[in-house]
Amino acid sequence: DMKNIPKPAIIAIAVVTLVAVVIGAWTLVNRSFSTPEGHDVHVATQDPLHADPELAATSAMTGLMTWQPAQQESPQDAAAAIADRLTGQLEEYATSNAPDPVLPEPWGQWADAGDSVHAVATVADDSGSINNDDQQGIVNVVVDQEVWHPSGNRTPYSRFTADVTVKNVDGQWKAERYEISDTEY
């Protein structure tokens, strides 16, 4: 019962509560809006997409096989978006500005429906990468493609294995070409 608590104790509790709220709010505001001090100029970092041949291969294949048919004319547009990760034949294809003459059969249906095709490429469990030397290698990857529908549903589209040739170009690993070695569906 509040009537039995002495008035100075109620005032003390109110003051302590108010101080805690003010300190909490001040801390929150300072954490949210303050800028960190110092800098990390002395820390050398490498872009992992370019520093590792396996990551370069999987990243390139994911980008090459992910399509937005409603916004893109052909898969060449997807390649153009990642041209900086490519070299050789794939870079020539990416920078050609020439749409593919033959599209995947459902391209028009995907475009009309607002579907997109998402790919995920992973290093194949059984082989990993074969580095011929520190300048070129072949990475065996598995690519899974799904059609993502505006409803949120997903439909498997394709699963294949490819040998991706990667080259070290000025200290950066880039995908040069790929050859499909096995198609599951």
Side-chain angles (χ1 to χ4, degrees):
D1 188 16
M2 294 289 283
K3 291 180 183 176
N4 294 337
I5 300 175
K7 208 174 212 175
I10 293 174
I11 293 172
I13 291 171
V15 168
V16 167
T17 303
L18 180 63
V19 168
V21 168
V22 168
I23 289 173
W26 179 82
T27 302
L28 182 64
V29 167
N30 277 340
R31 279 194 190 152
S32 299
F33 299 109
S34 66
T35 56
E37 296 201 16
H39 51 80
D40 293 327
V41 173
H42 64 281
V43 177
T45 60
Q46 277 191 306
D47 178 359
L49 289 178
H50 294 299
D52 179 285
E54 291 180 354
L55 190 54
T58 56
S59 171
M61 291 303 289
T62 296
L64 287 168
M65 298 297 152
T66 296
W67 309 319
Q68 304 292 328
Q71 288 88 33
Q72 297 172 327
E73 275 190 70
S74 77
Q76 188 278 333
D77 287 338
I82 63 161
D84 64 326
R85 293 185 238 167
L86 309 174
T87 190
Q89 292 175 353
L90 287 175
E91 183 182 27
E92 288 173 21
Y93 167 66
T95 58
S96 69
N97 294 322
D100 295 279
V102 178
L103 295 173
E105 189 176 320
W107 191 272
Q109 295 168 329
W110 293 332
D112 292 344
D115 294 337
S116 56
V117 178
H118 291 262
V120 175
T122 54
V123 176
D125 291 334
D126 57 346
S127 72
S129 67
I130 304 160
N131 281 329
N132 300 336
D133 56 36
D134 63 351
Q135 298 302 308
Q136 184 170 334
I138 296 174
V139 181
N140 187 253
V141 300
V142 176
V143 178
D144 286 292
Q145 288 177 299
E146 288 184 331
V147 179
W148 289 14
H149 308 284
S151 66
N153 293 331
R154 297 178 182 183
T155 305
Y157 173 63
S158 175
R159 180 181 176 98
F160 63 90
T161 304
D163 294 322
V164 182
T165 300
V166 291
K167 275 193 164 178
N168 191 323
V169 178
D170 299 325
Q172 296 182 344
W173 287 97
K174 297 183 176 194
E176 180 181 43
R177 65 181 176 273
Y178 69 90
E179 185 175 322
I180 296 176
S181 56
D182 182 44
T183 303
E184 282 188 45
Y185 57 87

